[in-house]
Amino acid sequence: MVGIVKSLWWTWATLRSTYPMSRRTLRHFSSSSSIMDFTEEPYIPVLIVGAGPVGLVLSILLTKLGVKCGVVEKNTVFSQHPQAHFINNRTMELFHRMDGLAEEIERLQPPIDLWRKFIYCTSLSGPILGSVDHMQPQDPEKVISPTSVAHFSQYKLVKLLLKKLESLGFHICVPSDVEGLDSKTVFERRILMGHECYSVSSTAKGVTVGVSFLKEGKTVDKNIHCDILVGSDGARSTVRKLVGVGMKGERDLQKLVSVHFMSRDLGRYLLHQRPGMLFFIFNPKVIGVLVAHDLNQGEFVLQIPYYPPQQNFKDFDFKVCEQIISNLVGWHLADVQIIDVKPWVMHAEVAESFVSCENRIILVGDAAHRFPPAGGFGMNTGIQDAHNLAWKISSLLNGISSPSILQTYEMERKPIAVSNTELSVQNFRAAMAVPAALGLDWTIANSVHEVINSSFGSILPPKLQKVALEGIYSIGLAQLSEHFLNEKNPIGSFRLAKLRRIFLEGKSLQLQFPAEDLGFRYHEGALVADVGHGGQDTIDVDGSSKRWSKKYVPSAKPGSRVPHMQLRVLKSTSEHCFSTLDLISGDKLEFTLVIAPIKESYDLALVAFKVASEFKVSLKVCVIWPQGASLEQVNGSEKELNPWGNYIDVEEVRRSSSLMSWWEMCQMTCKGVILVRPDDHIAWTAESDAVRDPVQEMKSVFNIILRANKTCM
């Protein structure tokens, strides 16, 4: 039975107040030890604030692990603004095991040839300054992963996630739907739209969350009680503010206007003339970045830099945006339909803490970290946060782990967030190298803006400030004129040559980072720290001074994602191949012990089965045989592992004899044993013949991983 039952039922009084929504202010976080009766109030073991991709993925993972949860979302409808659109390899691996979500995305996304390139040009119909193809020949072959990257708009992903949740029994509700439901179960498997979090109170027994919603034009307050509160409510997280968690990093890297529009005419033109994902457009009238979300449908988002307060967001009305689009395209588009215009600010910050209030309140996704969009790390890092967190919440609420298991979420994910922040800033600066080569240095532009905002500039009337700013920038943009930027002009020729070197040397904006995407590693947390294990690191997440590598090196060091290799089930008539990652169950809290068919490893597996049962966790043993193993040999596993039946015999599937074996790939010998956590990360490794006291060793291992604090006897 999931959750901490009556012993954690809340005994607080509820203070109800009704304010007009326009006057609603956030209440400070409070901690109280008073004991009062609130048994009639709604209770849910896990409450998730925010129904974006991260919150929805966490809801799916928790539900599949048997944890009761509910979601509140302040918006009354789901956004149709495309926002994030690049899904990296690791996230696609997680989606691969969410009932085929990755395969559904691959089927629905545009063909790779329509989005594999970034194109740099003076206009969409003008000269091309350069292009970069971000897909490698081996990507579709899925050598290092069972999946590949995807280009799929966030709002479309949300729709698919909602379908998955619906199949799990979730319902999307508006405030009026809540009436008449049992108050104690009203939030279970529900996404309550139009419910805004405004207060948080915590004790050692749990969290009370104040939410408000509109009913018949009036604001109604309601308290919800939970064991764990998860803030997945975005970059301006209310939960983070309520608990007083600060952010560290770089603020206001750039301010932009995001224009979501449709044009089938533009889509058809680019589809046949210059297909790509991103178009960086530089001309004397305007500069901008066009994201082609779907060329077939003609769906685009245009990002335009702007400089307040001299330039006001309100100045970017639909008519102005249509003219900007025409300037960037190179001709007037008759079918432009602007859907939405939004301002946003680019930050590079990480929360000071991810877990607070006695391990009761947890931040995930943009609530915990916000990056520049360069490289698409934002949504992907958040979804991977959820994957790391889900099994830990399940182990806690099932009484397997102590509350300190949740501290390992921050220990593991915060260094990754810091690393990805540094990488995305570096990638953003690489993107700025292109306009800088053309004479448009963004640091100079920001300096000019700061001067105008300084005491010298501020003495000018606002209108004169705007004229001065736009006048200076127009002089800079004049350098992009075709009369200046051409091979016959010495300065133009020099700049074009410099631009070509940037593209040739791969120093422009990059899309894929295999080493950081698949090779990130946890150095401490719910794992047995590496001691004397040889081999090459996949990547050091705290190695900010190092040059970022692009090559992923498989490794079985603790904290690494288990390497991908094609396998086939032995003693089966099916020739179906699958990945080592498919050995890990996504539907239950289960650890996987990978061994070779060696006597010492079988003996250690028997001990692991027994110890795991004492810790009340499921364990599956995977015996990896070399390719071509005989059926007579394989039958030995049943005898060696008797009476335990949760094991599988598989053989390597290597396309050529030159490819490494599984143990060579893991940089281990065939006497190696690898314990994999429910989130695919390696928790412990050893050489089976080097373990002196198997019982003591396995008890120590599970104690460390689960933070169970059980006596190792």
Side-chain angles (χ1 to χ4, degrees):
M1 184 174 181
V2 178
I4 303 172
V5 204
K6 292 184 179 179
S7 63
L8 289 180
W9 278 75
W10 317 111
T11 51
W12 294 0
T14 56
L15 300 176
R16 294 183 175 274
S17 56
T18 302
Y19 303 112
M21 187 66 74
S22 60
R23 296 178 58 190
R24 166 69 66 213
T25 56
L26 298 180
R27 301 179 188 175
H28 291 295
F29 165 82
S30 64
S31 179
S32 172
S33 59
S34 59
I35 300 178
M36 304 177 190
D37 182 26
F38 50 70
T39 54
E40 296 305 314
E41 292 295 331
Y43 161 78
I44 190 77
V46 179
L47 180 65
I48 300 167
V49 177
V54 176
L56 297 179
V57 166
L58 181 59
S59 303
I60 293 171
L61 296 174
L62 288 175
T63 302
K64 290 170 79 68
L65 289 171
V67 176
K68 294 179 181 179
C69 62
V71 185
V72 293
E73 166 59 48
K74 67 179 181 180
N75 294 309
T76 55
V77 295
F78 289 97
S79 173
Q80 297 298 301
H81 204 89
Q83 296 174 286
H85 59 96
F86 179 67
I87 306 176
N88 69 20
N89 220 332
R90 180 61 185 140
T91 300
M92 286 293 281
E93 287 182 349
L94 310 186
F95 288 169
H96 170 63
R97 296 211 311 283
M98 287 173 59
D99 301 320
L101 178 58
E103 289 70 26
E104 197 168 359
I105 290 170
E106 289 176 347
R107 179 174 58 83
L108 294 173
Q109 72 173 349
I112 289 177
D113 286 342
L114 298 186
W115 54 268
R116 62 192 301 156
K117 291 183 179 180
F118 290 176
I119 296 174
Y120 299 79
C121 53
T122 58
S123 73
L124 294 180
S125 57
I128 293 178
L129 302 172
S131 67
V132 179
D133 187 340
H134 292 281
M135 300 300 291
Q136 301 299 317
Q138 66 268 26
D139 289 339
E141 297 177 10
K142 302 178 180 178
V143 174
I144 61 175
S145 171
T147 64
S148 58
V149 299
H151 175 42
F152 198 67
S153 302
Q154 180 172 315
Y155 78 94
K156 296 179 181 178
L157 173 61
V158 166
K159 288 180 180 178
L160 294 184
L161 293 172
L162 290 173
K163 283 175 59 180
K164 297 295 180 187
L165 284 166
E166 183 181 358
S167 69
L168 293 172
F170 271 73
H171 299 278
I172 300 173
C173 303
V174 295
S176 60
D177 296 332
V178 179
E179 296 180 11
L181 294 173
D182 187 305
S183 64
K184 295 181 182 179
T185 60
V186 66
F187 289 97
E188 185 181 336
R189 300 200 186 198
R190 282 182 170 81
I191 302 170
L192 295 188
M193 307 298 292
H195 284 64
E196 183 170 7
C197 170
Y198 69 85
S199 70
V200 175
S201 300
S202 175
T203 69
K205 292 186 176 181
V207 184
T208 298
V209 183
V211 298
S212 60
F213 55 90
L214 283 175
K215 180 180 179 182
E216 298 177 353
K218 295 182 179 180
T219 302
V220 178
D221 293 348
K222 193 173 190 67
N223 282 346
I224 311 167
H225 308 290
C226 59
D227 296 332
I228 296 171
L229 172 66
V230 180
S232 64
D233 48 342
R236 291 175 288 184
S237 170
T238 296
V239 173
R240 186 184 68 232
K241 293 173 184 175
L242 286 171
V243 297
V245 174
M247 302 287 283
K248 285 188 177 180
E250 296 184 65
R251 293 183 57 81
D252 299 340
L253 288 171
Q254 196 172 46
K255 294 181 175 68
L256 300 106
V257 173
S258 179
V259 184
H260 178 204
F261 71 95
M262 305 291 292
S263 172
R264 286 188 176 271
D265 287 348
L266 180 58
R268 280 192 292 268
Y269 169 76
L270 294 175
L271 193 64
H272 295 100
Q273 298 298 321
R274 50 180 71 171
M277 176 193 284
L278 298 185
F279 297 83
F280 299 82
I281 309 163
F282 308 96
N283 69 48
K285 293 182 179 180
V286 68
I287 61 175
V289 179
L290 185 72
V291 185
H293 281 267
D294 193 324
L295 293 179
N296 284 307
Q297 296 297 319
E299 183 173 29
F300 302 91
V301 170
L302 175 62
Q303 307 286 2
I304 313 161
Y306 85 113
Y307 298 88
Q310 291 78 21
Q311 293 179 326
N312 196 313
F313 168 68
K314 294 180 180 178
D315 296 336
F316 291 86
D317 58 28
F318 282 17
K319 186 175 181 180
V320 168
C321 290
E322 286 179 8
Q323 184 58 53
I324 292 173
I325 292 168
S326 294
N327 291 336
L328 292 173
V329 171
W331 77 85
H332 176 70
L333 290 169
D335 71 335
V336 168
Q337 179 189 1
I338 294 180
I339 309 298
D340 195 13
V341 181
K342 291 182 176 181
W344 67 283
V345 184
M346 188 186 299
H347 303 295
E349 297 179 304
V350 177
E352 293 176 340
S353 61
F354 288 17
V355 180
S356 57
C357 308
E358 303 291 332
N359 305 312
R360 294 286 184 180
I361 301 176
I362 304 168
L363 302 177
V364 296
D366 288 353
H369 42 71
R370 44 196 189 187
F371 314 136
F377 285 95
M379 181 181 71
N380 290 291
T381 304
I383 288 171
Q384 292 159 33
D385 289 344
H387 192 234
N388 180 284
L389 180 62
W391 76 270
K392 296 175 180 179
I393 290 178
S394 175
S395 69
L396 172 62
L397 296 185
N398 278 291
I400 295 169
S401 301
S402 70
S404 65
I405 186 72
L406 297 183
Q407 294 173 4
T408 69
Y409 162 70
E410 178 173 326
M411 293 167 66
E412 294 175 356
R413 293 304 300 171
K414 188 175 180 181
I416 301 301
V418 171
S419 173
N420 286 350
T421 302
E422 295 172 355
L423 182 57
S424 59
V425 169
Q426 177 184 336
N427 204 25
F428 167 69
R429 298 190 193 284
M432 294 298 101
V434 172
L438 297 174
L440 302 175
D441 191 321
W442 72 286
T443 58
I444 295 176
N446 286 343
S447 298
V448 169
H449 187 225
E450 288 175 8
V451 168
I452 292 177
N453 284 333
S454 70
S455 56
F456 170 75
S458 62
I459 64 175
L460 298 174
K463 288 186 178 179
L464 284 181
Q465 289 186 40
K466 183 177 181 180
V467 169
L469 179 73
E470 294 183 348
I472 293 171
Y473 287 164
S474 66
I475 293 172
L477 291 177
Q479 300 175 86
L480 301 173
S481 166
E482 291 184 25
H483 298 292
F484 184 84
L485 195 64
N486 63 71
E487 296 293 351
K488 294 181 180 180
N489 185 301
I491 297 178
S493 177
F494 171 79
R495 290 179 175 175
L496 289 172
K498 186 177 181 181
L499 198 61
R500 286 192 292 270
R501 285 197 301 273
I502 289 174
F503 296 141
L504 184 64
E505 295 171 5
K507 294 182 178 179
S508 60
L509 178 70
Q510 299 299 302
L511 181 64
Q512 292 203 63
F513 295 86
E516 293 79 13
D517 177 9
L518 299 176
F520 67 85
R521 178 183 170 214
Y522 304 137
H523 290 269
E524 60 176 348
L527 53 90
V528 181
D530 180 45
V531 179
H533 186 293
Q536 183 178 349
D537 252 327
T538 53
I539 186 170
D540 281 321
V541 298
D542 54 353
S544 57
S545 63
K546 298 180 181 179
R547 182 180 179 86
W548 295 103
S549 66
K550 294 183 180 180
K551 184 179 179 181
Y552 163 66
V553 180
S555 170
K557 278 194 172 186
S560 303
R561 151 200 170 272
V562 66
H564 157 71
M565 186 178 195
Q566 290 288 340
L567 304 172
R568 185 179 69 84
V569 176
L570 288 165
K571 296 192 292 185
S572 170
T573 57
S574 173
E575 293 297 320
H576 172 69
C577 294
F578 55 91
S579 170
T580 44
L581 281 87
D582 293 319
L583 296 169
I584 318 302
S585 173
D587 297 340
K588 60 181 176 178
L589 189 63
E590 182 177 73
F591 286 78
T592 303
L593 187 69
V594 182
I595 67 172
I598 304 294
K599 175 61 177 174
E600 294 90 343
S601 298
Y602 278 128
D603 292 343
L604 188 61
L606 286 171
V607 173
F609 270 128
K610 186 174 185 300
V611 172
S613 68
E614 293 173 2
F615 278 80
K616 300 179 182 178
V617 294
S618 176
L619 178 72
K620 176 170 65 178
V621 170
C622 172
V623 185
I624 296 186
W625 295 78
Q627 187 164 309
S630 69
L631 188 60
E632 183 178 343
Q633 290 175 307
V634 175
N635 287 334
S637 292
E638 182 177 1
K639 178 182 177 182
E640 295 289 347
L641 296 175
N642 187 56
W644 305 95
N646 192 20
Y647 70 90
I648 183 172
D649 285 299
V650 298
E651 70 170 337
E652 303 170 347
V653 177
R654 290 191 271 169
R655 296 176 182 175
S656 72
S657 57
S658 62
L659 294 177
M660 290 188 292
S661 71
W662 165 253
W663 298 106
E664 288 171 336
M665 181 188 298
C666 292
Q667 304 173 45
M668 300 179 73
T669 74
C670 63
K671 292 183 179 180
V673 290
I674 301 172
L675 184 65
V676 187
R677 306 187 321 193
D679 64 351
D680 310 339
H681 282 263
I682 295 169
W684 169 76
T685 63
E687 295 288 321
S688 57
D689 61 347
V691 178
R692 296 180 180 178
D693 186 339
V695 174
Q696 183 73 14
E697 177 75 10
M698 294 313 305
K699 285 188 175 183
S700 175
V701 166
F702 279 105
N703 245 327
I704 293 170
I705 296 167
L706 298 171
R707 302 294 173 110
N709 297 322
K710 292 186 179 181
T711 303
C712 296
M713 295 294 290

